[in-house]
Amino acid sequence: MLLCVGNFFGATSEAEWAEYRTGAKKAPIPTYVLGANSPDTLSYFPDVSGCELAENITYLGRRGVFSGCSGLQVAYLSGTEAQQQPAPAHCFSAKDAAELKASLLSSPSFRGVDILLTSPWPRDVGTFANSAGEIDTKKCGSKLVSDLAASLKPRYHFAALEKAYYERLPYRNHMVLQETPQHVTRFIALADVGNTSKKKYLYAFSIVPMSSMDPAELVKQPQDVTENPYRKLRKEAPKSKATLSAEEEPACQFFFDLNKHQGKKRPSDGKERGDSQPKQAKKPPQPTGPCWFCLASPEVEKHLVVSIGTHCYLALAKGGLSPDHVLILPIGHYQSVVDLSSEVLEEVTKYKAALKEFFRSKGKRYVLFERNYRSQHLQLQVIPVPLDLCTSEDIKEAFIAQAQEQQIELLEIPEHSDIAQVARPGTPYFYVELDSGQKLFHRIRGRFPLQFGRCVLASEALLAQPQRADWRQCAAQRPEEAAQARAFRREFEPFDFSLRD
């Protein structure tokens, strides 16, 4: 089938359309279109509830749900958001959006729809995500469409009208550690057909209807999944009609204003940190597929494990930058430091202190980094660097210099701050921590080089081993890895708090 969003009828389409209407031409496959987006094309859509316009070309209607024989559910809303009341015939109103939501949400078994079709983009769709290019997602699009997408939880949401192609990173439809995992949504905007800039206007894909999928398969989270872009919008809707200006909006992402290098602290929802109630410990979520780092998983290469605590464990890195390149990992399944419960975070801190003391005894300082991007299980990479090779300032400057070369905004954050004050759960980021306490942070909004941390440390400015930037080029045979792990375990034993607790 072919689904069309945006303006189906062009400005000079009357003669061409007459051939389809009379049967001289025929659409080769079933084609479903949305209604008018301007008064100019209203005459092409005789029935507001939908109708066949020509053989194999169907107007879906003003709003509703199309259900295919396979069980595929396609929700749709025609027109643009009305700016006046009563709504013009080519516009939808808040009532239209509410009635579409009500028709679906009234079912207790509702989990979402397979596809949502709208002509306007949803407002704020670019929040937490990769760049939409020249399109300002905070100013364009419809808030009613944003609310509709948040409620209907489509697996795919297609839109147009901005004449630009934009494939957003998939986003969650649940709050991590607070709600049962749900499927993700992929938003895809298409450019106008035959545009001279050759922007993508056609998107081909296959889909198994949600109703036919295994629940565990349906809720699998891709590695590049982001937070829901509409969550803040929905929380604020009942509080006030007042909206933030575009200049104020970025502050909602951080408790620290990272636009200022000195990291001026912002209040968290107007409350001091000490006033909040302690959170109850939550069980870590279960992985949606095989995980190489959950300690109970058969995929874990246990010969690399060098220490096991109550909530965390240490393992040598496979293909490490050096024989004592080690990972701090939670035993349970957590995606990032921001997601950790208090007791797991406490043990992470103990391991960092033990490793600092251990490496200092060997004349080294450590560099720790985390990449919460295209990874499903938290890995804190800890790499020792000889004290006489470079200072902490040298390491910091090397990271900042390479970040600038690759147009990555790597900002220094206050030493006393916690990573959870800078990034919320679900936010993709890259984080560096030196054993001097200095911290660097980059919030990932688009693509990010997966080996960036290794590349900086392997560069001529630091370890001078650029050939080891890719771990796959450094992987040793299993017997050699096991021997390295045994040697590390023996040397680390006097510093290993887990053997004394």
Side-chain angles (χ1 to χ4, degrees):
M1 67 197 313
L2 174 65
L3 303 173
C4 299
V5 292
N7 298 312
F8 182 69
F9 292 98
T12 58
S13 61
E14 181 58 44
E16 184 183 10
W17 177 238
E19 295 183 277
Y20 286 91
R21 196 176 61 247
T22 59
K25 285 185 177 181
K26 174 187 172 182
I29 59 173
T31 302
Y32 299 88
V33 308
L34 295 181
N37 293 305
S38 69
D40 303 337
T41 56
L42 278 172
S43 60
Y44 290 105
F45 304 96
D47 187 346
V48 71
S49 61
C51 59
E52 185 176 81
L53 302 179
E55 187 175 1
N56 257 2
I57 300 179
T58 302
Y59 164 45
L60 288 167
R62 189 182 185 93
R63 65 175 183 275
V65 181
F66 170 80
S67 297
C69 59
S70 65
L72 188 77
Q73 277 200 317
V74 182
Y76 55 88
L77 183 65
S78 290
T80 58
E81 182 175 337
Q83 302 301 313
Q84 63 190 65
Q85 293 299 330
H90 64 281
C91 296
F92 58 83
S93 64
K95 182 180 178 183
D96 290 314
E99 289 182 357
L100 176 55
K101 284 196 300 182
S103 67
L104 288 162
L105 299 181
S106 58
S107 170
S109 60
F110 178 75
R111 292 183 295 169
V113 296
D114 292 299
I115 298 171
L116 173 62
L117 305 177
T118 63
S119 286
W121 287 28
R123 180 71 62 86
D124 287 326
V125 68
T127 304
F128 304 131
N130 47 317
S131 170
E134 297 179 357
I135 306 300
D136 186 347
T137 60
K138 296 184 184 302
K139 295 181 179 178
C140 79
S142 163
K143 288 186 178 181
L144 289 178
V145 171
S146 299
D147 182 65
L148 188 67
S151 299
L152 299 191
K153 302 173 185 176
R155 292 164 64 201
Y156 285 87
H157 180 184
F158 293 95
L161 291 192
E162 299 299 331
K163 299 184 178 182
Y165 169 69
Y166 175 48
E167 185 167 356
R168 188 200 187 280
L169 291 171
Y171 64 81
R172 294 187 184 92
N173 283 299
H174 65 276
M175 294 185 69
V176 177
L177 300 182
Q178 296 182 40
E179 297 174 335
T180 303
Q182 299 181 50
H183 59 271
V184 302
T185 294
R186 290 172 167 83
F187 172 76
I188 298 158
L190 298 171
D192 46 336
V193 176
N195 65 88
T196 56
S197 302
K198 296 184 178 180
K199 296 175 183 177
K200 190 171 182 177
Y201 60 83
L202 187 67
Y203 186 91
F205 70 110
S206 60
I207 183 172
V208 176
M210 186 185 302
S211 58
S212 302
M213 288 189 69
D214 176 80
E217 189 70 23
L218 177 66
V219 302
K220 280 187 176 180
Q221 306 291 295
Q223 292 185 341
D224 55 353
V225 67
T226 77
E227 183 57 272
N228 191 305
Y230 316 124
R231 195 172 303 283
K232 179 176 180 291
L233 184 71
R234 299 189 77 196
K235 283 180 179 179
E236 289 189 342
K239 294 178 183 178
S240 171
K241 292 184 179 179
T243 56
L244 292 172
S245 69
E247 289 75 23
E248 291 174 308
E249 194 70 21
C252 74
Q253 306 305 322
F254 308 106
F255 297 147
F256 285 90
D257 184 358
L258 294 186
N259 292 321
K260 300 178 180 179
H261 285 261
Q262 66 267 30
K264 183 179 179 182
K265 191 169 184 180
R266 292 178 176 268
S268 168
D269 299 327
K271 298 178 181 179
E272 294 298 327
R273 193 173 180 85
D275 293 340
S276 59
Q277 295 296 318
K279 294 182 179 180
Q280 295 297 315
K282 292 185 176 69
K283 292 182 179 179
Q286 296 303 305
T288 54
C291 179
W292 292 96
F293 300 105
C294 286
L295 192 56
S297 171
E299 280 79 17
V300 171
E301 298 198 44
K302 294 184 172 61
H303 66 287
L304 293 171
V305 176
V306 294
S307 173
I308 302 177
T310 305
H311 304 288
C312 303
Y313 71 99
L314 293 185
L316 289 189
K318 193 171 184 67
L321 276 166
S322 61
D324 44 7
H325 175 174
V326 68
L327 307 179
I328 305 176
L329 305 128
I331 291 173
H333 189 76
Y334 293 91
Q335 184 171 328
S336 71
V337 165
V338 180
D339 296 316
L340 295 181
S341 61
S342 57
E343 63 270 20
V344 182
L345 188 58
E346 182 181 353
E347 195 161 281
V348 166
T349 304
K350 286 184 177 181
Y351 267 124
K352 286 196 291 188
L355 288 170
K356 178 179 180 178
E357 188 180 357
F358 169 61
F359 287 132
R360 286 292 174 133
S361 73
K362 297 170 69 68
K364 300 177 181 180
R365 58 167 51 89
Y366 77 61
V367 181
L368 177 149
F369 69 82
E370 177 195 2
R371 187 194 76 236
N372 183 30
Y373 172 75
R374 296 196 175 183
S375 59
Q376 63 167 332
H377 191 112
L378 166 64
Q379 305 162 54
L380 291 177
Q381 308 264 350
V382 185
I383 299 94
V385 178
L387 288 168
D388 57 3
L389 187 64
C390 53
T391 65
S392 293
E393 281 298 317
D394 293 332
I395 297 171
K396 184 180 77 171
E397 289 174 8
F399 270 97
I400 292 174
Q402 287 213 28
Q404 290 174 342
E405 286 180 12
Q406 300 189 45
Q407 297 184 321
I408 296 170
E409 188 179 30
L410 196 59
L411 303 174
E412 187 167 3
I413 61 176
E415 293 180 22
H416 64 272
S417 67
D418 184 271
I419 183 66
Q421 294 176 284
V422 180
R424 294 183 177 183
T427 302
Y429 63 82
F430 177 78
Y431 172 71
V432 182
E433 182 179 316
L434 308 182
D435 68 356
S436 60
Q438 294 167 292
K439 301 172 184 178
L440 302 172
F441 177 86
H442 168 67
R443 182 170 177 272
I444 299 173
R445 290 180 170 83
R447 295 186 181 276
F448 184 81
L450 299 184
Q451 302 295 337
F452 177 72
R454 284 185 65 116
C455 287
V456 174
L457 286 160
S459 68
E460 295 294 341
L462 297 179
L463 293 176
Q465 299 186 64
Q467 74 280 5
R468 301 189 69 84
D470 188 339
W471 70 271
R472 289 165 294 192
Q473 305 300 319
C474 309
Q477 296 297 315
R478 188 184 181 96
E480 184 181 347
E481 291 176 335
Q484 288 178 352
R486 286 194 297 270
F488 185 96
R489 196 179 298 119
R490 284 194 303 269
E491 292 184 329
F492 182 63
E493 185 174 337
F495 305 88
D496 191 350
F497 68 91
S498 69
L499 300 177
R500 301 189 293 272
D501 287 356

